């Protein structure tokens, strides 16, 4: 199954992949750019997981809390647990409500929770964290958070942890982006054409081939996800213009083609080292380690099978 | 170099042969020097450690890498005291299989294992090792796998060159039960084999507390801890001859997974000119020093496609002994190329060591492709390119 086949899969499966992003767990990387922003998709996924009854924690570093909560209903807003690092990132006001250890400390505190159940952590944004923390520390913390459920600890079984990270890929070089994408279980790259947004989803399951597909979608004003079919195909230009394949045998001074009669004559030609069917069978059979060797003799058309000794006629 | 000559072993086969000969007075030749049977240091003997054999070319003691086809390409196996570096493929699907075959070979041969990882718990890695194919039906399964693959289409093609139909795709010598085994990738290794084996695990998040401050130092703390751990194991279990081993001498197989990734605390994958860009090269240098003075062999998988500074890759290649690169076709344009439809990727052998030699033991085939069939991982010569 090649990667492109996944894109042509049935619509039932296609619609399911964007919906089931959170069910796989682990780190989900949302890569956006200036043209196609990802915060609305992040908020749509947050709303979906809140409606499913999961615990949702938001680490807000890039935009203010009011701006993030804008557009959500009140019941969803009541379910979100918001950790604000935008207003006072370095904790200069030294209030008690600020969590020690900065954003990473907040992440670890979420991991040490005691109540079971699936948890979704939304990082807004990973770019902010990459610019303020060393990349290796961030990778180690993300790995520890997203793999917590796989290694059984000493406490009660904790539920699955999903980490949604918003990454502005134009802000970083290939190094940090490559390191984070190698850690991620799912990578969603936002793009689109002509006003229609698309998400290219690459799903890496451990020890299996990665699957990918492209899903066209749009975000409604109340941050629900609306999955759509792609734009019409004929408006897209062909990627490679149709070039008729050049036949190299057209303008030669000698003839390379065989007519049907010539082909039949060639097939019926007896080869000099004739490969008879019994020799073929004897050779292709797996050798049982025979000690004797066989001599296969098929006489040519020119062989003389006369048993008399031709040298008898010599008169010396 | 822990070569054959320096390891004296008690019950060598030649020693017993000479002893019986002298008892029966068949020969009048007397062996010079003290001949106390059953003690150490009785002169150069053939070392009879299970799962090893001396190389037929230069006498180095070899261990199997777990894949007999790979052993053939490396000139018989992996020499003791050397490092096998595997450059991971892009989505890290096939390099863990080579890693696990190496460890599974160690368990089947009875060697001691040391598994180090920053990503997975070593106990989980050991649970996922492939099951060995037993001797009586392994050859049969392998043969029928190859046979089924070859006969349907090869009958049609070879009309003039029909002698080449029987040429095997890869020269694999007979697999003896003591060196080199085939592994079934779809089954897990039996639990009793794991419990009977002696293994040590190093899981980085457990060894380093999360609030550790990083002091400016030449090696990242993760690497320092790992080197200390390896050194402790080698010293305590006597792989370097410091504590005389009362039991039979054994080989230590070290496996390090994803070395150089950010999870080890190394930032060569994140930045081009990091703060400690020499950390990995110093680690490899110290590791090779530890290996050369002990009876151990090491396999390392490294995500070189993530390393930003290409000079580091060149240095890492020079500091390792054998370097093999895996390039899988997933996601590249070669996946739909009809020439490569039978294979899952290419194997590039980037470096082969010259151990006490002037020339290295390279095979004459350079275009190698691998495929992971339902059960077996096979390496074949790519006849197309």
């Amino acid at each position: 199954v090649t990667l492109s086949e996944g894109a042509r899969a049935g619509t039932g499966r296609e619609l399911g992949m964007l919906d089931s992003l959170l069910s796989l767990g682990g780190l989900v990387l949302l890569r956006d750019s200036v043209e196609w922003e990802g915060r609305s998709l992040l908020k749509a996924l947050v709303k979906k997981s809140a409606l499913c009854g999961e615990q949702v924690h938001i680490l807000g570093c890039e935009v203010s809390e009011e701006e993030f909560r804008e557009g959500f209903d009140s019941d969803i807003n009541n379910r979100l647990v918001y950790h604000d690092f935008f207003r006072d990132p370095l904790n200069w006001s030294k209030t008690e409500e600020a969590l020690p250890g900065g954003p990473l400390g907040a992440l670890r505190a979420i991991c040490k929770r005691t109540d079971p159940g699936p948890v979704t952590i939304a990082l807004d944004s990973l770019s902010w964290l990459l610019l303020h923390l060393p990349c290796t520390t961030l990778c180690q913390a993300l790995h520890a958070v997203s793999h917590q459920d796989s290694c059984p600890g000493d406490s009660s079984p904790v539920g699955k942890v999903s980490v949604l990270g918003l990454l502005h890929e134009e802000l970083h070089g290939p190094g940090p982006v490559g390191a984070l994408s190698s850690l991620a279980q799912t990578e969603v790259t936002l793009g689109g054409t002509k006003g229609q947004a698309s998400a290219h989803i690459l799903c890496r399951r451990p020890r299996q081939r990665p699957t990918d597909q492209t899903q066209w979608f749009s975000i409604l004003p109340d941050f629900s996800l609306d999955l759509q079919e792609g734009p019409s195909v004929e408006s897209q230009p062909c990627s490679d213009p149709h070039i008729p394949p050049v036949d190299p045998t057209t303008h030669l001074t000698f003839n390379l083609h065989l007519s049907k009669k010539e082909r039949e004559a060639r097939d019926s030609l007896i080869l000099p080292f004739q490969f008879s069917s019994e020799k073929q069978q004897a050779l292709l059979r797996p050798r049982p380690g025979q000690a004797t060797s066989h001599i296969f003799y098929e006489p040519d058309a020119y062989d003389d099978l006369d048993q008399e000794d031709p040298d008898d006629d010599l008169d010396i | 170099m822990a070569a054959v000559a320096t390891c004296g072993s008690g019950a060598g086969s030649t020693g017993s042969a000479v002893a019986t000969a002298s008892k029966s007075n068949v020969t009048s030749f007397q062996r010079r020097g003290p001949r106390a049977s059953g003690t150490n240091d009785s002169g150069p003997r053939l070392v009879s450690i299970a799962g090893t054999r001396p190389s037929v070319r230069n006498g180095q003691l070899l261990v199997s890498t777990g894949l007999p086809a790979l052993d053939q390409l490396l000139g018989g196996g992996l020499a003791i005291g050397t490092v096998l570096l595997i450059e991971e493929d892009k989505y890290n699907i096939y390099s863990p299989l080579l890693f696990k075959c190496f460890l599974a070979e160690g368990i089947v041969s009875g060697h001691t294992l040391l598994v180090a990882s920053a990503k997975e718990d070593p106990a989980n890695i050991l649970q996922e090792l492939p099951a060995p194919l037993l001797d009586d039906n392994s050859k049969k399964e392998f043969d029928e796998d190859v046979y089924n693959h070859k006969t349907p289409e090869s009958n049609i093609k070879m009309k003039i060159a029909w002698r080449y139909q029987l040429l095997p795709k890869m020269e694999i010598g007979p697999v003896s039960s003591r060196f080199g085994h085939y592994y079934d990738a779809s089954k897990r290794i039996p639990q009793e084999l794991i419990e009977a084996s002696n293994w040590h695990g190093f899981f980085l998040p457990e060894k380093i507390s999360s609030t550790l401050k990083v002091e400016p130092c030449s090696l990242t703390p993760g690497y320092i801890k790992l080197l200390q751990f390896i050194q402790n194991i080698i010293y305590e279990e006597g792989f370097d001859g410091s504590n005389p081993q009362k039991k039979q001498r054994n080989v230590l197989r070290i496996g390090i997974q994803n070395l150089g990734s950010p999870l080890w605390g190394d930032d060569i994958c994140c930045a081009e000119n990091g703060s400690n860009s020499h950390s990995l090269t110093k680690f490899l240098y110290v590791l090779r020093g530890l290996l050369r003075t002990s009876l151990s062999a090491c396999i390392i998988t490294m995500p070189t496609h993530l390393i930003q500074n290409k000079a580091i890759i060149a240095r890492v290649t020079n500091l390792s002994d054998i370097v093999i690169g895996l390039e899988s076709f997933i996601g590249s344009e070669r996946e739909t190329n009809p020439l490569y439809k039978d294979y899952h990727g290419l194997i590039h052998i980037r470096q082969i060591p010259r151990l006490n030699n002037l020339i290295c033991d390279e095979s004459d085939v350079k275009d190698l492709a691998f495929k992971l069939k339902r059960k077996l991982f096979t390496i074949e010569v790519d006849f197309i390119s």
Side-chain angles (χ1 to χ4, degrees), chain B residues 27-289:
Chain B
T27 171
S28 59
F29 285 111
Q30 294 295 324
R31 196 158 190 99
R32 208 171 44 157
R35 279 285 303 131
S37 62
T39 59
N40 304 328
D41 292 330
S42 50
R45 288 280 176 272
L46 281 178
V47 187
S48 59
I49 305 178
T52 66
R53 71 170 178 205
S55 164
V56 296
R57 287 171 171 91
N58 51 9
Q60 299 288 340
L61 200 61
L62 301 176
V63 292
S64 170
T65 54
L67 287 171
L70 192 61
D71 287 342
Q72 202 80 21
L73 289 169
L74 302 179
L78 180 66
I80 283 191
T82 58
V83 171
L84 167 64
L85 182 79
I86 296 181
E87 299 183 351
E88 291 174 6
D89 52 312
K90 191 170 170 210
Y91 293 106
N92 201 17
I93 299 174
Y94 300 109
S95 48
L97 194 59
L98 296 186
F99 187 77
K100 284 172 189 164
C101 283
F102 184 84
L103 296 177
E105 181 70 31
I107 287 189
V108 170
S109 310
H111 299 158
T112 309
L113 296 185
L114 197 160
V115 186
S117 171
K119 205 181 221 191
E120 288 176 67
D121 199 357
N124 293 343
I125 297 178
L126 284 184
Q127 293 297 321
E128 291 166 0
L129 295 185
L133 292 173
L134 301 171
D135 274 331
D136 44 359
N137 55 0
S138 73
K139 194 86 172 66
K140 185 167 73 73
E141 282 193 31
F142 184 71
D143 274 347
E144 80 180 20
D145 224 351
V146 170
Y147 193 59
N148 289 337
H149 168 70
K150 276 188 345 162
T151 25
E153 58 247 14
S154 53
N155 267 343
I156 316 167
K157 287 191 206 133
M158 306 267 193
K159 215 173 139 198
I160 298 178
W162 48 267
R163 285 253 177 233
Y164 288 102
Q165 278 179 240
L166 288 178
L167 196 67
K169 290 255 183 157
M170 195 68 207
E171 292 291 325
I172 298 178
V175 172
S176 70
S177 61
R178 291 172 51 217
F179 190 87
H181 299 83
Y182 290 105
Y183 292 95
D184 185 352
S186 57
K187 295 196 201 121
R188 297 277 166 260
I189 198 168
Q191 189 69 19
E192 52 268 10
L193 277 181
I194 302 179
E195 284 160 10
S197 68
N198 180 19
W199 64 274
H200 307 274
F202 181 91
F203 187 40
L204 187 69
E206 285 171 5
K207 304 280 184 180
I208 288 203
S209 60
S210 54
T211 55
L212 187 70
K213 305 184 297 296
V214 178
E215 321 61 61
C217 166
S218 56
L219 280 172
T220 47
Y223 293 160
I224 294 178
K225 292 260 179 201
L226 179 58
L227 285 172
Q228 285 168 350
F229 185 76
I230 294 176
Q231 191 177 21
N232 280 343
I233 299 288
I234 289 179
Y235 180 70
E236 281 164 16
E237 303 214 356
F239 291 106
D240 57 352
S242 53
N243 296 334
Q245 285 180 328
K246 305 199 178 38
K247 302 181 300 222
Q248 184 74 11
R249 276 181 181 259
N250 207 351
V251 167
L252 175 68
R253 286 191 184 227
I254 304 175
I256 306 178
Q257 210 180 29
N258 289 122
L259 193 66
S261 75
L263 295 175
W264 282 99
D266 198 355
D267 63 348
I268 54 173
C269 292
C270 307
E272 199 163 324
N273 294 317
S275 55
N276 46 1
S277 55
H278 297 289
S279 179
L280 180 64
T281 44
K282 282 183 185 167
F283 172 83
L284 282 175
Y285 189 71
V286 176
L287 177 70
R288 244 179 24 156

Side-chain angles (χ1 to χ4, degrees), chain A residues 110-113 143-153 158-159 161:
Chain A
I110 298 171
C111 295
K112 290 195 187 68
R113 76 204 188 284
H143 181 78
V145 166
S146 51
H147 279 74
Q148 195 200 14
D149 51 346
S150 60
C151 33
V158 287
V161 179

Side-chain angles (χ1 to χ4, degrees), chain A residues 7-114:
Chain A
R8 292 194 291 268
T11 50
R13 244 197 69 197
E14 271 187 8
L15 294 176
M17 202 159 185
L18 196 57
D19 286 339
S20 62
L21 272 183
L22 300 169
S23 61
L24 292 166
L27 176 64
V28 178
L29 206 63
L30 298 176
R31 295 166 61 152
D32 70 347
S33 54
V34 170
E35 294 103 20
W36 304 100
E37 59 96 20
R39 186 164 289 114
S40 44
L41 181 62
L42 178 73
K43 287 167 80 165
L45 291 172
V46 159
K47 174 179 172 173
K48 193 207 298 269
S49 65
L51 288 176
C52 290
E54 302 178 357
Q55 290 181 43
V56 183
H57 294 258
I58 319 271
L59 262 70
C61 315
E62 211 168 72
V63 294
S64 65
E65 183 171 354
E66 298 82 29
E67 189 180 334
F68 193 87
R69 288 188 185 265
E70 188 184 328
F72 283 146
D73 308 338
S74 57
D75 59 330
I76 295 179
N77 269 325
N78 292 338
R79 285 190 222 211
L80 300 181
V81 180
Y82 198 90
H83 309 269
D84 189 8
F85 292 99
F86 174 77
R87 206 169 41 84
D88 189 6
L90 297 174
N91 197 18
W92 284 343
S93 54
K94 291 202 178 22
T95 54
E96 303 83 37
E97 69 217 22
L99 290 158
L104 286 188
L107 268 181
R108 289 188 205 109
I110 298 171
C111 295
K112 290 195 187 68
R113 76 204 188 284
T114 52

Side-chain angles (χ1 to χ4, degrees), chain A residues 12 19 35 50 80 90 105 124 144-145 161 182 207 216 225 238 242:
Chain A
D19 286 339
E35 294 103 20
L80 300 181
L90 297 174
D124 181 18
V145 166
V161 179
S182 70
R207 286 172 294 280
W216 300 87
L225 201 56
C238 304
H242 180 65

